[in-house]
């Protein structure tokens, strides 16, 4: 889904290209520290909204500084490595970035408090991110002219933002919920700006599938273990939304053994049967993935689980 363990981006890129030749991605390595984390990496793409670290949190800054330069440098190194290893690659390739609501829920204003407290600041953030991602996607296209870029917006905070469950700094209150119509419009602003297919990744419960679809996303990535209601999922499939089904755990189960491709494929197949759709449609609409990022896993488990997901997809395609 994006994140991998370790600090060696060259090795991480080799793993991705080797294990996922049909849909590789630009790996993220949060173990490298500030600027490689989800929020810092995403915030570094903002245009005319510089950020900095303050008390171990990212906040909007008055001017670009050392923290932002470090985040930019890490991204540039990653893109250089992608260019070197995948220069001749022809096919879809995925890049990931934090979405507007996850950033708004985790970035602080200069005066304190999350950006989420100020509706105007959230609009500015959304427009800034849209422009930054448009430039980022264009850069990847320039570096890999034969590839087709797929953008993944990571939105783990989106359900909590919609439900009014993001706590304030004191912990005694919560920020006001964002209206679904407002959220849809802002998400659409980003999706329309990048001019490339967009998948929204949300590994939290209660993924707002209809909102994501009507905002213009071509697919949604989710953790299969967190699916509680099948009707919204069935409606999304009927409407043509692509599914990146997180069917493999991000860490080894109690047995210590990684899942096999047969086990992963069976989980997806069982879900599909419960939904009642023709099996031939599964291969057209589903991609098999880990449940979420793999930054906390061992390198051995990463290789095993990526292989299991890849081979599970092949099994389902052959059904």
């Amino acid at each position: 889904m994006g994140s991998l363990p370790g600090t060696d981006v060259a090795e991480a890129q080799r793993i991705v290209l080797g294990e996922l030749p049909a849909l590789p991605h630009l790996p993220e390595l949060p173990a490298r520290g500030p600027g490689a984390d989800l929020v810092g990496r995403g915030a570094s793409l903002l245009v005319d909204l510089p950020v900095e670290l303050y008390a171990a949190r990212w906040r909007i800054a008055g001017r670009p500084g050392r923290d932002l330069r470090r985040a930019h440098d890490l991204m540039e190194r990653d893109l250089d490595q992608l260019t070197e290893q995948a220069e001749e690659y022809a096919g879809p390739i995925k890049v990931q970035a934090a979405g507007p609501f996850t950033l708004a829920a985790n970035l602080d204003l200069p005066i304190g408090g999350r950006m989420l407290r100020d509706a105007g600041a959230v609009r500015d953030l959304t427009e800034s991110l849209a422009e930054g991602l448009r430039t980022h996607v264009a850069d990847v296209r320039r570096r890999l002219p034969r590839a087709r870029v797929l953008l993944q917006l990571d939105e783990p905070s989106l359900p909590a933002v919609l439900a009014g469950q993001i706590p304030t700094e004191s912990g005694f209150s919560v920020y006001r919920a964002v209206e679904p119509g407002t959220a849809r419009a802002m998400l659409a602003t980003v999706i329309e700006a990048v001019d490339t297919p967009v998948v929204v990744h949300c590994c939290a419960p209660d993924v707002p599938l209809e909102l994501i679809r009507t905002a213009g996303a071509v697919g949604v990535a989710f953790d299969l273990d967190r699916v509680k209601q099948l009707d919204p999922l069935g409606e999304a499939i009927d409407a043509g939304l692509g599914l990146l089904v997180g069917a493999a755990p991000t860490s080894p189960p109690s047995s210590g053994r990684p899942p096999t491709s047969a086990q992963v494929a069976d989980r997806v197949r069982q879900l599909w049967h419960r939904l009642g759709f023709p099996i031939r449609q599964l291969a057209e609409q589903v991609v098999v993935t880990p449940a979420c990022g793999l930054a906390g896993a061992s390198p051995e488990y990463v290789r095993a689980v990526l292989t299991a997901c890849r081979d599970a997809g092949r099994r389902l395609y052959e059904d």
Side-chain angles (χ1 to χ4, degrees), residues 131-152:
E131 177 62 18
L133 286 173
R134 186 193 65 78
T135 301
H136 181 52
V137 168
D139 185 20
V140 176
R141 282 180 173 148
R142 178 182 58 79
R143 291 167 176 267
L144 304 178
R146 301 177 63 194
R148 303 189 305 276
V149 180
L150 173 67
L151 173 64
Q152 173 182 304

Side-chain angles (χ1 to χ4, degrees), residues 212-224:
I212 290 169
R213 184 186 68 80
T214 54
V218 300
V220 62
F222 60 92
D223 180 349
L224 182 52

Side-chain angles (χ1 to χ4, degrees), residues 176-314:
R176 181 180 301 176
V178 174
E179 292 294 326
T182 301
R184 182 183 297 107
M186 290 187 175
L187 200 56
T189 295
V190 176
I191 291 172
E192 291 168 5
V194 297
D195 189 30
T196 205
V198 173
V199 168
V200 176
H201 172 219
C202 181
C203 53
D206 302 319
V207 180
L209 296 167
E210 179 66 8
L211 185 154
I212 290 169
R213 184 186 68 80
T214 54
V218 300
V220 62
F222 60 92
D223 180 349
L224 182 52
D225 283 337
R226 293 180 177 266
V227 174
K228 305 304 179 187
Q229 299 182 29
L230 292 183
D231 285 349
L233 195 56
E235 292 167 2
I237 294 169
D238 258 337
L241 193 67
L243 305 181
L244 280 72
V245 181
T250 57
S251 57
S254 56
S255 66
R257 294 187 295 272
T260 66
S261 61
Q263 290 170 331
V264 175
D266 281 345
R267 293 200 66 204
V268 179
R269 199 180 286 114
Q270 288 167 16
L271 170 69
W272 203 256
H273 287 322
R274 290 172 63 197
L275 289 165
F277 288 95
I279 194 66
R280 59 175 173 73
Q281 190 177 343
L282 192 160
E284 299 171 357
Q285 213 160 336
V286 170
V287 174
V288 183
T289 75
C292 201
L294 295 167
S298 69
E300 295 76 21
Y301 184 77
V302 166
R303 288 184 182 274
V305 81
L306 292 182
T307 299
C309 288
R310 180 195 68 212
D311 292 347
R314 290 173 177 167

Side-chain angles (χ1 to χ4, degrees), residues 8-32:
D8 185 345
V9 68
E11 176 61 15
Q13 192 66 75
R14 279 192 289 271
I15 290 172
V16 167
L17 290 168
E19 302 297 336
L20 306 173
L23 182 57
H25 64 273
L26 177 68
E28 302 167 353
L29 305 179
R32 292 180 295 180

